Amino acid sequence: MSDRTKQVQFRMPEELHTDLKAALAYDRSSFADFFNKAAEDYLLKREKEQQKKSKSKNGGAKNG
């Protein structure tokens, strides 16, 4: 990964923000760490799902 970063801004409900901020403080983590990990997890899961779909289209087991 590159050392360069991008800043992202978005809005979330106040209660969700408060709860998440408290949980992250308790875990000694940061919003940046949390959202970077969430993005990485999402992309890995998405890639695995796309590989499954690709395999099933290219001669995977057929039901029926």
Side-chain angles (χ1 to χ4, degrees):
M1 263 182 143
S2 171
D3 289 346
R4 296 182 65 165
T5 61
K6 293 283 188 176
Q7 184 173 353
V8 178
Q9 181 176 354
F10 65 94
R11 301 205 178 266
M12 70 170 45
E14 185 174 352
E15 185 176 348
L16 179 59
H17 177 270
T18 301
D19 292 347
L20 181 57
K21 185 175 180 179
L24 291 171
Y26 181 82
D27 294 341
R28 297 182 185 266
S29 189
S30 69
F31 276 100
D33 290 342
F34 174 80
F35 285 107
N36 284 325
K37 178 73 170 123
E40 290 170 359
D41 290 348
Y42 173 82
L43 292 172
L44 285 172
K45 180 180 176 186
R46 183 176 182 272
E47 183 178 327
K48 287 178 184 178
E49 289 174 355
Q50 287 183 332
Q51 288 175 354
K52 281 184 187 177
K53 288 178 185 176
S54 177
K55 286 180 183 179
S56 67
K57 287 181 182 178
N58 296 325
K62 295 182 181 179
N63 294 330

